[in-house]
Amino acid sequence: MVDRVVGQLSLADGLARSDTTQLDQIATVIDWMPIRALLGQRSGPGKGNTSYPAETLLRCLFLGVWNNLSDPALEMQLRDRLSFRRFAGFSLSDRTPDHSTLWRFREELKRDGLIDRVFEEITRQFEQKGLIVKQGTLIDASFMQAAARPPAKPKKGEETSARPSADPDARWGRKGKKTVFGYKVHNGVDEAHTLIRRMHFTDASITDTEPADRLICGDEAAAYGDQAYYTHARHARLKQAGIKDRLMHRPNKHHPLTPRQKQHNRLISKVRAAVERPFAVFKQRYGMRRLRFFNLATNRTQCLLAGCGYNLQRAAAVLFPVRKPA
């Protein structure tokens, strides 16, 4: 049995068509056919077992990310908003998916690394278009609060697991004076247009430097990061790979920074500051200061969806710049 057919337009659809929106622009920044191929067919054998096409549901989940919508809220908006229906591929007469269908599809993306392959395909296409320039990768990490209420902080010497929570995967993490119960998103961002090339998702207890090498692609001219990422071993690996080390130097009580190192750090800081853009979008526009789900795997899937969604929006902003009035 094939997936159900959606998007067969009628005269009413033509009359309801409006001016080009940002969603229409986003729909053109990639070729969706390879995405459709890697997602595959969702319907099983037998009559009456048709399902919504995977590409259609993926577009629906992007709409949910971009508009900070829960699955029930997204279900309602898909019924009512013409721009949403058009982006997802629904005609005025098509039935749209309910929240349980959206939930199940997110679970499908979680299995077998499917969401990872979607993310990789989108970034591959942006490389081909020249939107990823590879002159430098900016690396950083940011806390995201767990959906669950934080348990009491463990006492010194006490295992974290001794303090139960509704989210068994979330952990306490600390960076400077900031303490958060939840998770951490680690990004490797292309310097030219701040497109995300690499993403890694951990609980909040993992230090920034542990997954840092996974954020460096190996084909960039330079790697930029704050003092948390600098180690002599990483410096040696970058040098061996022919990648310029633009990690900020870290002082210690025996070796304070020299004036030259301080100037080096100031120059790097100006460049690496752009890595904050995706995190700001995640938290301020996508509502991800606090995550929605109660385990690492589903929260990771949602963050990778957000990474794909951010890259699509960012690419559209680069390819279709808003012209300021003269």
Side-chain angles (χ1 to χ4, degrees), residues 73-246:
L74 177 57
E75 174 188 347
M76 185 180 301
Q77 293 295 329
L78 284 168
R79 286 201 302 264
D80 295 343
R81 292 182 65 170
L82 290 175
S83 61
F84 277 30
R85 298 180 75 97
R86 189 162 74 235
F87 177 79
F90 295 113
S91 71
L92 291 176
S93 59
D94 285 328
R95 289 186 61 183
T96 52
D98 61 19
H99 65 275
S100 61
T101 300
L102 298 167
W103 172 273
R104 287 195 299 272
F105 181 67
R106 187 184 291 103
E107 292 295 297
E108 291 175 28
L109 290 176
K110 185 169 67 177
R111 293 193 290 269
D112 301 323
L114 191 56
I115 184 59
D116 300 79
R117 299 204 297 276
V118 172
F119 179 84
E120 289 163 6
E121 173 59 27
I122 290 172
T123 55
R124 183 193 68 79
Q125 291 196 33
F126 290 156
E127 282 189 33
Q128 283 191 333
K129 290 177 180 287
L131 292 172
I132 294 176
V133 182
K134 304 181 184 179
Q135 64 191 35
T137 295
L138 320 176
I139 61 176
D140 205 0
S142 185
F143 286 126
M144 291 186 173
Q145 294 179 33
R149 182 178 179 180
K153 294 182 184 178
K155 297 177 181 178
K156 189 174 182 180
E158 182 182 30
E159 291 292 332
T160 306
S161 58
R163 301 293 177 121
S165 164
D167 185 338
D169 299 326
R171 294 292 183 271
W172 285 104
R174 183 181 181 88
K175 186 174 183 179
K177 296 182 179 180
K178 187 174 184 179
T179 305
V180 171
F181 179 73
Y183 296 94
K184 189 179 283 188
V185 180
H186 310 256
N187 282 347
V189 175
D190 188 64
E191 179 187 351
H193 297 125
T194 66
L195 291 166
I196 305 170
R197 298 189 68 191
R198 293 281 177 88
M199 292 188 75
H200 191 57
F201 189 77
T202 67
D203 67 66
S205 70
I206 301 300
T207 63
D208 290 2
T209 193
E210 288 180 62
D213 291 336
R214 299 177 62 171
L215 304 178
I216 298 169
C217 301
D219 57 4
E220 57 272 269
Y224 294 80
D226 64 23
Q227 297 176 5
Y229 294 101
Y230 185 86
T231 67
H232 293 299
R234 183 162 293 122
H235 172 81
R237 286 194 294 271
L238 290 171
K239 185 176 181 180
Q240 185 177 18
I243 300 171
K244 294 177 182 177
D245 180 351
R246 295 293 183 262

